Amino acid sequence: MTDPEPLPRPRQVVVAGVLGLFGSLLLLVVLFDAMGRVHSSQMRAQVRSMLSQPPGDGLGMTVEQVLDIVRGVVLFDGALAAAAVVLAGFALTRHNGARIGFTVVAAVLLVTGPVAGSVVPVIDAVAAALLWARPSRDWFAGRAAAPAQPLGERTPTESEQRPEPERPRPAPAAQPWASWPPPAAPFPPPAAPGPRPSHSGSRPGSVTAAAVLTWVSAGVTALAYVAVVMVIMLDREELIQTLQRNPSYAQLDIAADDLIAALWVISALAILWCLFAIVLAFLSVRGLRWSRAALVISSAVAIPVSLFAFPVGLINVAAAAVTIKLLVTRSASDWFDWNAGHPGTVPTTRPPRPPRNVW
């Protein structure tokens, strides 16, 4: 007994997933930059100008109060954007709750996005709309999409669908060679191949171990960079003074603002990378082959990048190397092939190799 064929993922769902991931990650980058500009002199001048003209002069708010509201909205949108990245990945695996959650998050971001000075949430709104198209609804409901009727083609009536009566066919003429005996086979027919052992469908421990290792290492790294971002946001002046007192900083010949901006960019990219690796690990546990390949590439790139944080980065180097080793094992490859829609055709063990001819 074979497993039922998986429903093909509609094009609308694929486009929605790609747009959701791209739009949410791009929004995180934009919000990180917006957080750095909240306390800038340019932002204060814009808020002061808004409060001095109608209708802003009737709000009865100070510049600091407006900046606190903008900061809170940016942080709120950042949390929603991070949740949208995870929900978009879950939606690609036909998780109906993730589709609903992503739609709600996209609607909230579309409302609060202009307050943070960003129009990027429009991309998430388009992705959410595609998730509710007719082919997407059929796929999430677990039913095959109805075939589209060509334009101009009408449905045949009952009389047209009625089968025509069969006409008697003339008897075939006798052939003179019909009574001849069949020719003898020069060689015996080859034996029919036996059934190949099928995969049990259970996820191998190597895939689970690789996913857990990715979640732990990427999660710890993301938390470390989140701590860096919190220090920059909450105690920027103290951080600049600490850097200026460091003798190594004087040798760099870099302005403090430029160094803080570089820390913003590095932290944002690192957090996005860690979130992307966490989503890839989850999709790999669900049996998607492309996610395994992407996770192997991500781990391979993380090895040389982590060496820049020597010696702390050696932990990530070891975790990335072990993850690659676990994902390329024979059992993992067979399991991913089995989940690709070919149940019962992937052997669980490698066939024995013929002896090597040494002559």
Side-chain angles (χ1 to χ4, degrees):
M1 178 178 175
T2 60
D3 294 341
E5 289 292 334
L7 293 176
R9 184 181 294 109
R11 185 175 11 179
Q12 289 84 351
V13 176
V14 177
V15 175
V18 173
L19 286 178
L21 290 172
F22 172 75
S24 302
L25 294 175
L26 180 61
L27 181 60
L28 282 174
V29 177
V30 173
L31 291 176
F32 272 118
D33 180 68
M35 182 58 69
R37 292 185 288 105
V38 167
H39 295 286
S40 63
S41 58
Q42 183 180 2
M43 177 64 73
R44 290 180 177 273
Q46 292 177 357
V47 173
R48 190 176 298 107
S49 175
M50 181 195 70
L51 294 177
S52 62
Q53 302 174 1
D57 55 355
L59 296 176
M61 301 177 63
T62 63
V63 176
E64 294 298 331
Q65 290 175 344
V66 175
L67 291 178
D68 289 340
I69 294 175
V70 174
R71 187 190 310 111
V73 173
V74 171
L75 291 175
F76 178 70
D77 286 352
L80 290 182
V85 173
V86 180
L87 291 174
F90 274 80
L92 287 174
T93 63
R94 211 170 70 180
H95 194 288
N96 193 41
R99 176 178 65 148
I100 298 174
F102 180 81
T103 304
V104 174
V105 169
V108 175
L109 286 174
L110 190 63
V111 176
T112 59
V115 180
S118 174
V119 295
V120 179
V122 176
I123 300 177
D124 286 347
V126 174
L130 290 175
L131 287 177
W132 293 95
R134 178 60 182 273
S136 302
R137 295 199 307 270
D138 292 339
W139 185 69
F140 277 99
R143 58 177 179 266
Q149 186 174 0
L151 184 63
E153 181 178 343
R154 64 182 182 88
T155 304
T157 60
E158 183 179 356
S159 59
E160 294 175 346
Q161 293 179 353
R162 188 176 304 166
E164 297 182 358
E166 296 185 359
R167 300 178 180 179
R169 298 181 180 180
Q175 303 295 336
W177 55 82
S179 59
W180 294 359
F187 299 102
R196 301 178 66 179
S198 60
H199 198 278
S200 61
S202 59
R203 184 172 62 246
S206 59
V207 177
T208 305
V212 172
L213 192 59
T214 302
W215 290 332
V216 172
S217 59
V220 172
T221 304
L223 289 177
Y225 280 100
V226 167
V228 173
V229 171
M230 296 301 294
V231 171
I232 296 175
M233 291 191 304
L234 301 178
D235 206 353
R236 178 189 179 97
E237 298 300 329
E238 182 65 24
L239 178 61
I240 293 177
Q241 295 176 4
T242 303
L243 291 175
Q244 291 175 349
R245 290 193 298 265
N246 191 347
S248 301
Y249 170 74
Q251 301 176 359
L252 296 177
D253 195 17
I254 300 177
D257 293 336
D258 294 339
L259 184 58
I260 296 298
L263 287 177
W264 268 110
V265 174
I266 294 174
S267 300
L269 293 178
I271 293 173
L272 293 179
W273 191 354
C274 292
L275 292 176
F276 184 63
I278 291 173
V279 173
L280 287 179
F282 172 78
L283 296 178
S284 298
V285 169
R286 299 299 298 267
L288 299 180
R289 285 194 298 181
W290 66 267
S291 62
R292 179 185 72 147
L295 185 57
V296 169
I297 295 175
S298 175
S299 301
V301 176
I303 292 177
V305 173
S306 300
L307 292 177
F308 287 98
F310 183 86
V312 180
L314 293 179
I315 300 177
N316 286 339
V317 171
V322 174
T323 300
I324 295 174
K325 176 63 178 177
L326 293 173
L327 289 177
V328 298
T329 57
R330 175 69 179 183
S331 59
S333 301
D334 290 348
W335 182 72
F336 279 103
D337 291 339
W338 180 81
N339 279 279
H342 305 282
T345 58
V346 180
T348 56
T349 58
R350 188 184 297 271
R353 296 181 178 180
R356 184 178 178 183
N357 188 6
V358 296
W359 299 101

